[in-house]
Amino acid sequence: MIGGPFFVLVVLGILGTGLVAGVFCGFSTFVMRGLAALPPAQGVAAMNAINVAAVRPAFMTVFAGSAALSALIAVVTFVVWPEEGKAELLLGSALYLVGSFGLTIVANVPRNDRLARLTPGAPEAAVYWPAYVREWTFWNHVRTVASAAAALVYIVALA
């Protein structure tokens, strides 16, 4: 059984990845639907405001901190190589680092950056908005599942 400081590290990993999964789930299930129901100019303006507010310590500590914890869990797993749970610990770390953190960088952030360059009431924004909502939400669904799966696999590692 995993014990000591490594146990605490994994529990923190569970908490962080689970919290991120919850945030992403909220966006996938009701925030994006609400924004999509707005006229494009209002939806674009609201999403741009949300994207600015997201890059603050409250969320970034959990989001980036969970990536750091996942990386640390993977490194400690390689060094300590516990007999029980090693595959689960490595899988949980990969799920979060690639499926949540990495996917944010390559799929969601570029869409956010493109949206931020548009003037909310401009015709280009109205044209891009439906594609943005559809594509961003799809990748957010993937991030949600990856974050939740990471938490679940970490839990399995402790069982």
Side-chain angles (χ1 to χ4, degrees):
M1 179 169 175
I2 298 169
F6 194 36
F7 176 84
V8 173
L9 188 66
V10 176
V11 168
L12 291 173
I14 293 166
L15 181 60
T17 57
L19 284 169
V20 171
V23 169
F24 290 162
C25 181
F27 266 83
S28 282
T29 58
F30 59 87
V31 172
M32 292 307 290
R33 287 177 188 235
L35 294 176
L38 295 172
Q42 292 176 2
V44 169
M47 189 65 185
N48 281 336
I50 289 168
N51 288 333
V52 169
V55 189
R56 296 231 168 96
F59 175 68
M60 292 308 292
T61 298
V62 175
F63 180 62
S66 295
L69 279 169
S70 293
L72 186 57
I73 290 168
V75 168
V76 171
T77 299
F78 274 118
V79 173
V80 176
W81 204 260
E83 283 303 310
E84 294 181 29
K86 62 185 169 191
E88 292 87 352
L89 293 169
L90 294 174
L91 178 58
S93 293
L95 281 165
Y96 188 79
L97 289 170
V98 175
S100 182
F101 194 77
L103 195 55
T104 298
I105 293 167
V106 300
N108 294 83
V109 169
R111 285 169 175 79
N112 292 345
D113 290 345
R114 181 174 175 194
L115 192 70
R117 290 190 299 270
L118 300 175
T119 303
E124 302 84 33
V127 169
Y128 180 58
W129 179 240
Y132 172 88
V133 169
R134 184 180 59 257
E135 294 167 4
W136 192 98
T137 303
F138 171 79
W139 291 116
N140 194 64
H141 291 337
V142 175
R143 296 187 309 167
T144 301
V145 170
S147 298
L152 180 61
V153 174
Y154 283 156
I155 291 168
V156 169
L158 295 181

